[in-house]
Amino acid sequence: MSFEAKRCGVQFNPPSIILIYEEKDSRKVRKRIIPVRNFSKYSDCGMAAERLKSHSRHKEYLDGVSQSQLERLHIILRDHMRGHSLEHSLASFHLNPDEDLNKLDDDELARKKGQMDKLFERNRRRKDDPDFIYEVEVDFTKAGQEKCSWDEESDDGF
Amino acid sequence: MAGDAGSIPDLDQEKYDADEQVKIICLGDSAVGKSKLMERFLMDEYRPQQLSTYALTLYKHTATVGNKTVVVDFWDTAGQERFQSMHPSYYHKAHGCIMVFDVQRKITYKNLANWYKELREYRPEIPCCVVANKIDADLKVTQKSFNFGKKQGLPFYFVSAADGTNVVKMFRDMIKRAVDYKQNPSDFMDEVMQELENFELEKKEDSSEAAKDGLTESPELV
């Protein structure tokens, strides 16, 4: 049986990941509540996400959900356990394009990646899309080569 | 010397000396999409090996170049500064390098200069390319010319890990260049190492010859 994940979210009490998915064979849309166990306000969200993603009972259902999304959902759960509001959690995912992300720790970075993943998922071509092509080649060399403003300050070897 | 640089005890980096083994590293700032590019190229070919302690994900891939089968290890690295001390082991014995930036974030483009400088300190000659990722966010960016690659004489690719544009081509080109490089290494240190290894081998052969001669009671083998 194969499943297609539609949407994924959290429930605070008891802490759970909620998955809306479609059963491919029956085309029925169902809801799966995955309790998040052994998880506290001190837990590592990256590891918790990895554990869930490879969990024998859930992994088939979570196939279409990226590990980074699961990590983000765990961050929201943990923020809640630490007494932060949902608004606070969502604001922390906000991305400033000038920020140096190399300086962030794993958690903070995961928050930023969440923002980027939205665009990625929107533009993503999946393997099971009917019009999926593995090898997509586009030649951009003929495009009008206007100078990129990022090259203007030439003090750093550019 | 080699012992210092390849300081990841869980990994045997000696294997990259074998003819059919190639190591390609993927560099760039945090969140430019390095892992996403790897995943798009390899699809579900292999489950990557995660070495969280070393901020490293390894992807294995089998490629055919000409009529030869080559095993490619892709080293997907972390951009975060706190893993700076791991960098020498990333570069160690690498045969190719893919440098990625995010077309939506100028800082990741500006940082290429730092990544490149460091790369060349360790691997002065290995083939390298510059990859502008996330062009799906705004295709207009592909009308611009980014000078960094050109100035360094590096091939440049506009790609999108999301819709797949030019991802496979970029990886195939790099694998081919890495294999070519391995067959004709131009790094001075590589040549010196090669010479030393050959010398060692010759010495060993000589001494085993000598040992054989010394064994007077052993029968001659025809």
Side-chain angles (χ1 to χ4, degrees), chain B residues 34-89:
Chain B
K34 299 182 289 289
S35 309
K36 291 247 181 350
L37 286 169
M38 295 295 337
E39 284 159 16
R40 178 55 179 75
F41 174 60
L42 299 174
M43 306 306 291
D44 300 325
E45 197 183 335
Y46 273 100
R47 260 189 86 82
Q49 182 188 0
Q50 293 219 353
L51 295 150
S52 311
T53 333
Y54 308 109
L56 183 66
T57 309
L58 291 187
Y59 297 80
K60 227 176 240 316
H61 170 65
T62 309
T64 310
V65 178
N67 45 16
K68 253 176 71 176
T69 304
V70 193
V71 176
V72 187
D73 271 6
F74 287 106
W75 286 49
D76 178 17
T77 67
Q80 286 151 284
E81 276 175 10
R82 66 193 164 96
F83 297 117
Q84 184 74 35
S85 66
M86 293 311 307
H87 292 184
S89 53

Side-chain angles (χ1 to χ4, degrees), chain A residues 44-47 71 78 100-111 113, chain B residues 28-31 50-56 77-90 111 115 118:
Chain A
D44 181 318
C45 295
M47 269 162 60
E71 184 170 355
R78 197 186 54 185
D100 184 352
L101 302 186
N102 294 339
K103 298 194 189 304
L104 302 186
D105 65 31
D106 294 349
D107 266 16
E108 293 167 318
L109 186 60
R111 289 171 197 257
K113 280 187 175 174
Chain B
D29 279 11
S30 293
Q50 293 219 353
L51 295 150
S52 311
T53 333
Y54 308 109
L56 183 66
T77 67
Q80 286 151 284
E81 276 175 10
R82 66 193 164 96
F83 297 117
Q84 184 74 35
S85 66
M86 293 311 307
H87 292 184
S89 53
Y90 297 162
N111 247 336
W115 285 111
E118 193 183 75

